[in-house]
Amino acid sequence: MKRLTILDLQKKKDQKEKIVAVTAYDATFSSLVDAEVDVVLVGDSLGMVIQGQDNTLSVSLEDMVYHTKAVARKLSHAHLVVDMPFLTYQVSKEKALQNAGELLKAGAQSVKVEGGVEICETIHHLTQLGIPVMGHVGLTPQSVHQLGGFRVQGKEAFQKDKLLRDAKHLEEAGAYAVVLESIPQDLACDMTQSLRIPTIGIGAGVGCDGQVLVIYDLLGMDPHFKPKFLKRYAHLARDIQAAVQTYAQEVREEKFPTEGHSFH
Ligand code: KIV
């Protein structure tokens, strides 16, 4: 199967075909989602869903390289984009190039960075040197403390104007797509219409060119995480707990293993 490229993703927008993206962090999930989606994102959300942190700030480049290698090994179709973690691209464009290069060497086809106009010089630098970049605006989790929490962005008029300008600057700097996270639907529609490049929404309503969700969220792995934007397509927390409960009970009652599970 042919791996999707950034040109294929642009073609999807041009042909009004929705782009489907999901996160993955390991080889097992990677092989399960590969044929079903267009884009796999190794998100720095792994800091929260894999490492159990409260936010994404402590994720390192080494963490991302490790998970990227595992995910990349099992992809034969989907495009692989990988998050650049906090402080691996903000300090200087030279450092950003070095770090983005490490992610590409690990198997990423492109990288994702958070921010608007302030990050455009770096995006221009990376794209000029052959590294495709996806932007990310709206609720940018690496700025959680500046934003005062994980809150919907772009509700105020001045925020709307800034987000529209930021997205346009990202496109002009060379970004091939942009994630719109937790912004009002009308604003996401305006941004999508004003951009040539695809928008990928999460909590940004129906008008985006594509959608992305964290795989653990869409599978219902956290019974307590119920944001408005999320639809759960399975209830694995319940199923996993029930399976492990049955296993534990059967071991204690000496119902597992049976003779049939034993070597003779
Ligand atoms: O880190 C991540 O998983 C993300 C998506 C939620 C877009 O950035």
Side-chain angles (χ1 to χ4, degrees):
M1 230 186 297
K2 180 184 157 294
R3 291 294 292 281
L4 293 187
T5 70
I6 63 168
L7 302 182
D8 296 312
L9 301 177
Q10 182 64 51
K11 207 178 293 171
K12 282 184 185 287
K13 170 156 184 158
D14 297 342
Q15 295 176 348
K16 301 195 184 325
E17 224 183 287
K18 293 285 184 187
I19 296 168
V20 182
V22 73
T23 67
Y25 315 101
D26 66 26
T28 302
F29 275 99
S30 172
S31 65
L32 288 173
V33 303
D34 181 38
E36 313 304 331
V37 301
D38 304 308
V39 177
V40 169
L41 166 67
V42 180
D44 61 355
S45 50
L46 68 83
M48 300 170 82
V49 297
I50 302 285
Q51 298 175 340
Q53 307 281 356
D54 290 337
N55 56 53
T56 60
L57 297 177
S58 60
V59 175
S60 68
L61 186 69
E62 290 68 33
D63 293 335
M64 297 307 288
V65 165
Y66 174 85
H67 288 278
T68 298
K69 283 182 177 168
V71 169
R73 272 184 206 118
K74 296 293 178 181
L75 294 183
S76 57
H77 162 74
H79 180 86
L80 180 57
V81 56
V82 176
D83 262 333
M84 296 196 70
F86 182 55
L87 289 190
T88 63
Y89 59 96
Q90 295 95 336
V91 174
S92 73
K93 54 185 204 270
E94 291 75 22
K95 199 165 166 193
L97 176 63
Q98 188 73 45
N99 292 333
E102 293 303 322
L103 294 173
L104 261 64
K105 284 201 250 179
Q109 290 167 282
S110 63
V111 296
K112 176 162 81 60
V113 300
E114 296 180 9
V117 64
E118 68 285 354
I119 208 68
C120 282
E121 204 183 315
T122 298
I123 293 178
H124 186 251
H125 189 60
L126 297 184
T127 53
Q128 284 298 299
L129 291 167
I131 298 181
V133 181
M134 180 183 278
H136 183 156
V137 296
L139 198 183
T140 43
Q142 291 175 18
S143 305
V144 61
H145 297 309
Q146 177 74 16
L147 300 177
F150 296 101
R151 314 158 68 91
V152 176
Q153 300 296 306
K155 283 181 158 175
E156 310 296 333
F158 77 92
Q159 289 180 322
K160 282 187 184 153
D161 292 345
K162 176 164 165 37
L163 280 168
L164 277 161
R165 272 200 313 276
D166 277 345
K168 207 69 200 151
H169 281 297
L170 292 175
E171 175 171 287
E172 282 161 12
Y176 74 86
V178 57
V179 167
L180 309 181
E181 179 163 354
S182 292
I183 62 172
Q185 176 167 289
D186 287 355
L187 174 59
C189 277
D190 288 351
M191 292 166 84
T192 300
Q193 278 160 21
S194 74
L195 293 179
R196 184 189 52 81
I197 59 173
T199 60
I200 315 280
I202 174 165
V206 301
C208 299
D209 297 308
Q211 296 292 326
V212 62
L213 281 176
V214 169
I215 185 85
Y216 286 13
D217 297 344
L218 85 84
L219 293 177
M221 301 273 270
D222 180 351
H224 308 293
F225 188 61
K226 298 176 184 166
K228 182 177 165 70
F229 69 82
L230 177 62
K231 178 170 176 183
R232 290 177 175 158
Y233 290 85
H235 299 280
L236 292 197
R238 188 188 62 195
D239 295 350
I240 291 169
Q241 278 173 331
V244 176
Q245 234 169 40
T246 307
Y247 162 68
Q249 192 180 340
E250 290 197 354
V251 170
R252 290 186 187 115
E253 293 173 356
E254 297 184 22
K255 289 183 178 157
F256 176 82
T258 62
E259 282 294 311
H261 297 111
S262 308
F263 299 107
H264 295 289

